[in-house]
Amino acid sequence: MRQLARCFKLAAETGPRLTRRRTWPIEGADHWPEGRGRQLTEPQTIAPEQDIETARRVLGQRNLVFVGLMGAGKSAIGRLVSQMLEIPFVDSDHEIERVSRMTVPELFEAYGEPEFRALEARVIKRLLKTGPRVLSTGGGAFMNDTTRTMVLNSGLSVWLKADLDVLWARVSKRDSRPLLKTANPRQTLSDLLDQRYPVYAKADVTVPSRDDDKDIIASETVMALARLDRGQDTVPIS
Ligand code: S3P
């Protein structure tokens, strides 16, 4: 209920129209069914339909590229945004794993970070050639000068910006990040944040990522893209 109240609050602030995520279980339904249980009566998406259309138009044939530190939610939010915009989603780490038939930790282990970075740059270069789609990238991808230039020139980039506590709470649950296999992984993450945030800030749009409903953050992303069309500030919430 708290989530629903927040959805309506934000919808009230941004406009009257609620819209459903496209995975809504009732195909073709154009109204909220009544009295059929929580799952079917709650709106899952709060971006106004008009903003979704504008965001699609702003993106055109480009890729929407999510950048940010590990744990920022690039894949989860990216996937939701791709559903809202009804365009395909691809995760560059998954694509690297698919083409190499190895996991990211295995690639780091077997070939080291420089080889992983070279492969990452090649994969992203290829993915950027066709669109539109949502492309979620590994945290180091945008740090590569060539990749960043390609993303800035041919895509539309979104930095999901989160603070250290949020990132750490998420990444410390899994030990799948090779860069965090250090004596003090929290400090390592903090150092990466210091190094990388000035570079991530070059992205076209910045969206705060925090412990909130993912649908809300995805909607804020779509609304931020729509604001680009109106030439407004790209940061939706401070
Ligand atoms: C990395 C982030 C990882 C993955 C690799 C390197 C980084 O992706 O690409 O472990 O340099 O920050 P996520 O950001 O999806 O965790």
Side-chain angles (χ1 to χ4, degrees):
M1 251 0 247
R2 215 173 43 123
Q3 167 193 338
L4 183 59
R6 265 206 314 269
C7 285
F8 282 124
K9 181 169 173 286
L10 195 60
E13 285 164 9
T14 55
R17 286 190 66 187
L18 295 174
T19 184
R20 289 171 285 118
R21 192 194 300 166
R22 302 311 159 125
T23 50
W24 189 252
I26 301 177
E27 288 295 326
D30 59 359
H31 63 281
W32 303 115
E34 280 176 15
R36 302 204 21 214
R38 188 174 141 83
Q39 187 201 358
L40 296 183
T41 52
E42 283 190 10
Q44 305 258 312
T45 302
I46 49 162
E49 188 70 41
Q50 199 186 349
D51 278 359
I52 294 177
E53 277 160 29
T54 307
R56 261 195 224 113
R57 181 161 44 76
V58 166
L59 189 60
Q61 296 303 304
R62 294 180 289 179
N63 280 259
L64 183 64
V65 185
F66 278 83
V67 306
L69 261 189
M70 24 193 152
K74 300 178 296 277
S75 300
I77 305 297
R79 214 176 273 282
L80 289 175
V81 170
S82 81
Q83 290 174 358
M84 288 179 190
L85 299 182
E86 296 182 305
I87 57 176
F89 171 80
V90 62
D91 178 308
S92 66
D93 278 347
H94 289 170
E95 191 59 14
I96 290 166
E97 292 183 334
R98 191 182 70 77
V99 296
S100 66
R101 299 187 188 179
M102 294 171 83
T103 65
V104 170
E106 283 168 355
L107 284 164
F108 267 77
E109 171 91 32
Y111 302 112
E113 185 175 350
E115 280 301 314
F116 171 79
R117 297 297 175 201
L119 180 56
E120 180 176 54
R122 283 202 300 278
V123 165
I124 293 175
K125 181 177 180 185
R126 173 172 58 76
L127 292 173
L128 285 173
K129 284 187 179 146
T130 50
R133 62 160 89 80
V134 173
L135 168 58
S136 130
T137 60
F142 200 63
M143 299 304 293
N144 177 298
D145 290 343
T146 313
T147 301
R148 187 173 60 256
T149 304
M150 280 187 310
V151 169
L152 292 173
N153 287 342
S154 68
L156 188 55
S157 45
V158 179
W159 173 24
L160 280 184
K161 182 181 184 185
D163 67 29
L164 183 62
D165 288 341
V166 168
L167 297 168
W168 177 245
R170 292 175 184 168
V171 300
S172 56
K173 287 183 191 143
R174 291 168 57 195
D175 68 346
S176 57
R177 266 82 176 206
L179 291 186
L180 297 183
K181 294 200 183 304
T182 61
N184 186 345
R186 194 179 199 280
Q187 185 57 50
T188 305
L189 189 62
S190 169
D191 294 344
L192 285 171
L193 188 149
D194 291 342
Q195 286 162 21
R196 293 179 175 184
Y197 273 25
V199 179
Y200 293 151
K202 297 178 198 281
D204 298 301
V205 175
T206 300
V207 175
S209 177
R210 66 249 171 220
D211 275 330
D212 210 338
D213 197 311
K214 290 188 178 60
D215 282 305
I216 292 181
I217 297 172
S219 296
E220 286 174 3
T221 305
V222 169
M223 291 188 275
L225 297 179
R227 271 198 295 275
L228 286 180
D229 191 49
R230 302 193 284 268
Q232 293 173 5
D233 183 5
T234 55
V235 183
I237 286 176
S238 60

